[in-house]
Amino acid sequence: QVQLVESGGGLAQAGGSLRLSCVASGRAVSSYNMGWFRQAPGKEREFVGAFSRSAGVAEYADSVKGRFDISRDTAINTLYLQMNSLKPEDTAVYYCAAGTSLWIGTTQNDWDYWGHGTQVTVSS
């Protein structure tokens, strides 16, 4: 089992940047697919992107492709989400997730473990 704790959220202006961190404890991040989801008020939780444990590469939702970058540091068991060129529509609670499936799933049911989330607010 793995425990996930996110940090790094906050307030940013449109066009700005933030970096989120997700520290995992209990198991190595390399043991899981590691991903990020977000949930805006009144909306369902949506896939942002994920790092595949098998392929060693990241996949992204079309809405963030080219602006967001996911990386991991296995030495400190941490997953990152670098968010650039932020838009007001990126405002949401961002969640870190870990999963053991053979593929990168884009729905919540594809993931096994979740953090508590960190708020990101982008002002226009």
Side-chain angles (χ1 to χ4, degrees):
Q1 199 166 12
V2 64
Q3 293 77 44
L4 306 172
V5 178
E6 304 95 336
S7 63
L11 178 64
Q13 290 188 333
S17 300
L18 282 174
R19 188 177 79 158
L20 306 184
S21 300
C22 171
V23 178
S25 59
R27 293 285 300 273
V29 293
S30 56
S31 301
Y32 298 93
N33 297 321
M34 297 293 298
W36 291 95
F37 281 71
R38 66 186 181 185
Q39 188 166 17
K43 295 187 177 181
E44 294 188 354
R45 194 170 297 188
E46 66 171 358
F47 175 77
V48 173
F51 200 96
S52 167
R53 61 174 174 166
S54 59
V57 295
E59 301 178 14
Y60 301 91
D62 289 342
S63 58
V64 306
K65 199 173 294 183
R67 301 188 298 121
F68 290 10
D69 179 71
I70 294 174
S71 61
R72 67 180 185 180
D73 187 335
T74 56
I76 57 172
N77 233 23
T78 301
L79 181 77
Y80 298 103
L81 178 64
Q82 177 67 44
M83 304 185 293
N84 301 320
S85 301
L86 283 164
K87 303 175 181 180
E89 51 263 44
D90 294 319
T91 295
V93 177
Y94 283 71
Y95 296 90
C96 179
T100 57
S101 65
L102 297 178
W103 58 88
I104 296 295
T106 59
T107 67
Q108 295 184 65
N109 291 338
D110 297 318
W111 297 82
D112 303 300
Y113 304 101
W114 294 87
H116 292 294
T118 185
Q119 175 71 46
V120 170
T121 302
V122 183
S123 62
S124 57

